[in-house]
Amino acid sequence: DADSEKVSSILTDLSGLSADSAVVIHPTQEQIAEYGLADPYLTVALAYKDADSKRYDVGFRCSAVNEDGVAYLMKDGVDVIYQISTQTALSWYTYTYKDVVSVMNILPYINDVSSVELVLGGKTYLFEMSGEDDELVVTCDGQTLDTDIFRKLYQLLLSIKNNENLEEPVDASALTSLGSLTYNYKNGSRPSDRLDFYEYSARQFYLAYNGDIEFLSLVSHLDTIQDAVDKTLAGEDFKVI
């Protein structure tokens, strides 16, 4: 999921973007390459709808910044090379995927979920859910759970977050698994979402989202979840901090 605050900042900057000047009109392929746009530093594709729900698609490519702090761009469908400064570009130029990805990985609405499978501490817990809102019923291994307590556990599961971004993806094949968390959905056409936990250090663990390990998270949170699971199964209330 994307970080809504950072994405909003990018969209605001893009909506107000204007070039400093037009450098080349009807450029040749050689000029496009000369200005760093044959193999651009980045590309932007933006789709939006107006008040009448009419869709608009906007795209452009942008060069790397030169020693003068200047970059060049071409808008899709416009045969002109424009010049912009990095101060004009602001967030959309400097942000990367890891900057805008949400610290919260998966936030499924509880009414959309048919079951939650948690593997932790060498045990597998399958929480099966039926009904919605005040009619929600949750069972685990044949035991009907206190719904209010389970909602607190569910909130705790949703709070598993990225504590640190990794520079490069990690191969899980040689790692030791600490467990996993899988959300299965009532809509059969919607694929399950899964978080995997792998050993990294005494303080942190590798966190994988649907198979991709790109983050670290805190081991202490897994300890908190384990304690909450034990209390949920015992019917004991607890606080979510």
Side-chain angles (χ1 to χ4, degrees), residues 133-134 136-138 144-152:
D133 300 321
D134 293 340
L136 178 66
V137 176
V138 184
T144 300
L145 305 180
D146 182 293
T147 304
D148 291 334
I149 295 177
F150 175 77
R151 288 183 184 276
K152 291 184 178 181

Side-chain angles (χ1 to χ4, degrees), residues 146-210:
D146 182 293
T147 304
D148 291 334
I149 295 177
F150 175 77
R151 288 183 184 276
K152 291 184 178 181
L153 173 61
Y154 191 83
Q155 180 183 346
L156 194 60
L157 295 176
L158 293 182
S159 67
I160 298 174
K161 63 183 181 180
N162 314 328
N163 185 56
E164 182 180 334
N165 295 332
L166 298 172
E167 293 299 322
E168 298 291 339
V170 175
D171 182 5
S173 60
L175 300 178
T176 300
S177 175
L178 297 177
S180 64
L181 173 63
T182 305
Y183 296 93
N184 302 305
Y185 299 103
K186 294 175 181 177
N187 182 348
S189 63
R190 180 177 177 179
S192 299
D193 282 312
R194 175 171 171 143
L195 296 177
D196 281 281
F197 322 131
Y198 296 98
E199 190 174 278
Y200 174 71
S201 69
R203 179 175 176 272
Q204 294 177 299
F205 65 91
Y206 285 117
L207 177 60
Y209 170 53
N210 286 336

